Amino acid sequence: MTDLNTPARGAATGTGDRSRPRAALPALCVTQIVSWGIVYYAFPVLNPQITAATGWPAGATTAAFSLGLVVSALTGIRVGRILDRRGPRVVMTAGSVLGVVSLLIVATAPNVPVFIAGWALAGLAMAATFYQPAFAALTRWWAPDHVRALTVVTLAGGLASTVFAPLTAALADHLSWRHTYLVLAAVLATITIPAHALALRAPWPDAPTATAHAGAGAAGVGRSRPFLLLAAAFTLSAFAMYAVVVALVPLLLERGYSTSQAAWVLGIGGAGQTLGRTLYAAIARRTTATTRTTVLIAFGALTTAAFAAVPGPYAMLITVSIVAGMVRGNLTLLQATAITDRWGTAHYGRLSGLLAAPATSAAALAPFAGAALAVPLGGYEPLFFLLAIVSVAAALIAPWTGTAAVPRRVPPL
């Protein structure tokens, strides 16, 4: 019998019966960078040019983008069920095609309704190409060594904004926003469609036998108290985290910092995410699932409160941003492994879709809610204190989300 705590070299499921697809991990690293960079991170760079060139309200264009995120959250549940049965190749290849088509619609939209329709279709593409399907593929193929693979792909995904934000800006300096999106759509098609079609061809392993915790099946787990509380904790945490990301620049401008200084504080958090993700395997080896869920969400509350309480000096704000980024990076991997830590891999795709749906919806609504709350609260500083309280509420829920008898042994990176 294979020891589930010991990686089975070359095995997809840890049982030694199938070979891992060697090209899958590097391909997913590349496609996560390109998909996130083009479908997600290009929009905030191009939106000012879009509104200036078209006269469309910024609220309308941003709402269209947020709609895409909500569609992604809702359709991710169905996508997860398909992944469990059929594997990632068809799902992610089709998602790449939809992503290209959606960007072509966005780029040629003659009015706001067509622009909104383009982003709604992009939401389907996000559900089929972003982290959730990649996590499902790696969790099934790489188990029980999946934490290592998940860490590698999220480290790569963290480079998406670093690569494509400046690239998009450079294209926009020489092209219109419409032509910029057309160029990006061509890049998306050239890289992601063949990568998903060719690198994900390996046989899809049978789902492992459900654990005792998952014996009632995905439906039973999805209705269980620990699962619902876990979803609530992640939803509250995601709302606070994404509201902080969007509201950080206005907070610093309100305190008298320049736009450039504020942008650097925000941007340095991305480096913190990459750094934080390199530490997750060590954290997972030494803690139970509920302990790290509670601690990481609590640290998120602490960094949010620090932004509210510390007006300077500037170097201190940089430090807080790096630590906050490290927490965000670990929270990504925490959510990616939350299902397997508690209920195994038997229904990973469906359960991860159910778990991610409310959190992704909260993340999509957070920017609007944060900006709306800042007005009656009297500014962004009290908003950050309120968001810290929201994270504290999530941390208080976390201890009731299920326990693990012993810390999981995860091989070092």
Side-chain angles (χ1 to χ4, degrees), residues 77-91:
I77 299 171
R78 178 61 179 170
V79 168
R81 293 178 179 176
I82 298 172
L83 283 163
D84 281 339
R85 294 196 304 268
R86 301 180 180 274
R89 186 189 183 199
V90 173
V91 170

Side-chain angles (χ1 to χ4, degrees), residues 36-58 61-62 65 103-104 106-108 115 119 164-185:
W36 276 95
I38 291 176
V39 182
Y40 187 91
Y41 286 108
F43 174 78
V45 176
L46 292 175
N47 194 40
Q49 191 179 113
I50 293 172
T51 56
T54 61
W56 299 338
T61 57
T62 305
F65 181 70
L103 291 185
L104 293 178
V106 166
T108 58
F115 188 81
W119 279 111
F164 279 94
L167 176 60
T168 301
L171 288 172
D173 285 340
H174 299 89
L175 303 172
S176 70
W177 71 270
R178 294 182 186 275
H179 287 101
T180 297
Y181 261 132
L182 291 175
V183 171
L184 292 175

Side-chain angles (χ1 to χ4, degrees), residues 73 131-132 135-136 139 146-147 150 154 227 230-239 241-242 277 280 289 292-293 296-297 327-344 348-349 351-363:
Y131 278 144
Q132 290 305 123
F135 289 165
T139 295
H146 56 281
V147 172
L150 296 176
T154 54
F227 185 90
L230 184 64
F234 280 156
T235 299
L236 291 173
S237 176
F239 177 86
M241 181 175 69
Y242 281 93
R277 286 166 181 165
Y280 185 79
R292 59 181 169 272
T293 301
L296 287 171
I297 293 176
V327 174
R328 291 198 303 272
N330 276 288
L331 284 171
T332 301
L333 285 168
L334 179 73
Q335 184 166 330
T337 57
I339 298 299
T340 52
D341 287 341
R342 293 166 173 82
W343 297 285
Y348 180 88
L351 290 175
S352 65
L354 286 169
L355 186 65
T360 303
S361 298

Side-chain angles (χ1 to χ4, degrees), residues 1-325:
M1 180 180 294
T2 301
D3 182 357
L4 294 181
N5 288 324
T6 303
R9 297 186 183 278
T13 63
T15 61
D17 58 336
R18 296 181 187 272
S19 296
R20 290 172 179 167
R22 295 182 179 180
L25 182 56
L28 288 172
C29 287
V30 172
T31 61
Q32 288 303 299
I33 293 173
V34 176
S35 297
W36 276 95
I38 291 176
V39 182
Y40 187 91
Y41 286 108
F43 174 78
V45 176
L46 292 175
N47 194 40
Q49 191 179 113
I50 293 172
T51 56
T54 61
W56 299 338
T61 57
T62 305
F65 181 70
S66 292
L67 173 64
L69 296 176
V70 173
V71 170
S72 173
L74 297 178
T75 57
I77 299 171
R78 178 61 179 170
V79 168
R81 293 178 179 176
I82 298 172
L83 283 163
D84 281 339
R85 294 196 304 268
R86 301 180 180 274
R89 186 189 183 199
V90 173
V91 170
M92 299 193 77
T93 304
S96 292
V97 173
L98 287 177
V100 173
V101 173
S102 70
L103 291 185
L104 293 178
I105 294 173
V106 166
T108 58
N111 50 49
V112 172
V114 176
F115 188 81
I116 292 173
W119 279 111
L121 185 62
L124 297 177
M126 294 179 199
T129 58
F130 278 11
Y131 278 144
Q132 290 305 123
F135 289 165
L138 295 175
T139 295
R140 182 75 67 87
W141 271 326
W142 258 256
D145 196 17
H146 56 281
V147 172
R148 186 192 310 236
L150 296 176
T151 301
V152 170
V153 83
T154 54
L155 286 173
L159 298 174
S161 61
T162 305
V163 173
F164 279 94
L167 176 60
T168 301
L171 288 172
D173 285 340
H174 299 89
L175 303 172
S176 70
W177 71 270
R178 294 182 186 275
H179 287 101
T180 297
Y181 261 132
L182 291 175
V183 171
L184 292 175
V187 173
L188 186 70
T190 302
I191 296 177
T192 64
I193 294 175
H196 288 148
L198 298 175
L200 305 180
R201 292 184 297 174
W204 188 234
D206 294 333
T209 303
T211 65
H213 294 291
V221 172
R223 291 192 297 266
S224 68
R225 184 170 178 266
F227 185 90
L228 295 175
L229 290 175
L230 184 64
F234 280 156
T235 299
L236 291 173
S237 176
F239 177 86
M241 181 175 69
Y242 281 93
V244 164
V245 169
V246 175
L248 182 56
V249 170
L251 171 71
L252 298 180
L253 293 177
E254 191 176 76
R255 289 173 169 173
Y257 290 98
S258 69
T259 301
S260 177
Q261 288 175 314
W264 271 106
V265 173
L266 176 62
I268 202 70
Q273 288 188 61
T274 299
L275 176 61
R277 286 166 181 165
T278 65
L279 304 176
Y280 185 79
I283 295 172
R285 283 197 302 272
R286 294 169 173 82
T287 59
T288 64
T290 50
T291 297
R292 59 181 169 272
T293 301
T294 304
V295 170
L296 287 171
I297 293 176
F299 268 110
L302 184 62
T303 57
T304 301
F307 276 127
V310 178
Y314 187 69
M316 180 62 71
L317 292 171
I318 290 289
T319 301
V320 173
S321 183
I322 292 173
V323 176

